[in-house]
Amino acid sequence: MIYWYIFLAFFIPGILGYGGGPASIPLVEKEVVDRYGWMTTQEFGEVLALGNALPGPIATKMAGYIGYMEGGVLGAIVALFASVAPSLILMVLLMVTLLKYKDSPKVKNITRLVRPVIAVLLGAMTLQFFMTSVDTSGTVQTVILIIISYWLLEIRKIHPAMVILLALVYGAISGIV
């Protein structure tokens, strides 16, 4: 029965907490501290602080930790699934709806209008990364990295993950020297 309670403790805040982790934290606290009494407010605050100190979404980190503390590895898995299940269900339902109406002129227009917006957002992000790289690494090194990356990706057809890994190794080596 504990796994059902763990599921509910993280599924309900996932449904009601619009906006992700920060919006659902008070709801998780209500479930974990007040409803089930698995920890005190102070302990919850410590878990929240630990979750904020680590990279990644806070809701899933808290779910994994609290689920593990209450139900072991299976409890952590149940809590993690429950925290992402509302978004997962909504995405599947939206995808089914989109596929059902994919030939609709309205859906085609929406897709046609969204693509340029995404392209502009990616372009703005790329420009921001470029400017940051120029500020921290210098223009020459940034341009050389861009040319080598382009050559590896487009000419040599190396997987992007390998290019990123090579850039990380280069960064580590150049940071040591």
Side-chain angles (χ1 to χ4, degrees):
M1 199 65 173
I2 186 69
Y3 299 114
W4 176 245
Y5 294 143
I6 291 171
F7 180 82
L8 289 177
F10 292 97
F11 185 76
I12 293 170
I15 291 173
L16 301 176
Y18 180 77
S24 65
I25 289 170
L27 301 171
V28 171
E29 180 185 18
K30 184 75 172 164
E31 296 291 317
V32 169
V33 175
D34 297 337
R35 184 171 185 185
Y36 296 110
W38 293 331
M39 55 181 51
T40 65
T41 302
Q42 181 177 346
E43 290 169 330
F44 185 84
E46 291 170 359
V47 170
L48 178 61
L50 179 64
N52 273 325
L54 298 171
I58 188 159
T60 54
K61 290 180 284 192
M62 291 179 66
Y65 178 79
I66 295 168
Y68 181 79
M69 295 305 292
E70 292 305 313
V73 173
L74 183 57
I77 293 169
V78 168
L80 282 168
F81 176 72
S83 68
V84 299
S87 297
L88 182 66
I89 292 168
L90 184 60
M91 290 297 291
V92 168
L93 291 175
L94 287 173
M95 185 56 84
V96 167
T97 304
L98 182 63
L99 289 175
K100 182 178 178 181
Y101 297 106
K102 70 180 179 186
D103 295 325
S104 163
K106 289 181 181 179
V107 171
K108 286 183 178 183
N109 281 338
I110 290 171
T111 305
R112 190 176 49 100
L113 294 173
V114 167
R115 282 187 184 141
V117 172
I118 292 171
V120 168
L121 291 172
L122 288 172
M125 183 180 68
T126 302
L127 182 61
Q128 190 175 26
F129 284 164
F130 176 79
M131 298 308 293
T132 302
S133 180
V134 167
D135 290 344
T136 58
S137 300
T139 305
V140 173
Q141 188 168 347
T142 299
V143 170
I144 289 171
L145 285 171
I146 289 171
I147 292 169
I148 291 171
S149 297
Y150 179 82
W151 180 75
L152 289 171
L153 289 167
E154 297 299 322
I155 308 299
R156 297 288 313 230
K157 304 293 184 195
I158 304 233
H159 193 278
M162 289 303 300
V163 176
I164 292 170
L165 181 64
L166 290 171
L168 288 171
V169 169
Y170 172 75
I173 292 170
S174 67
I176 294 171
V177 177

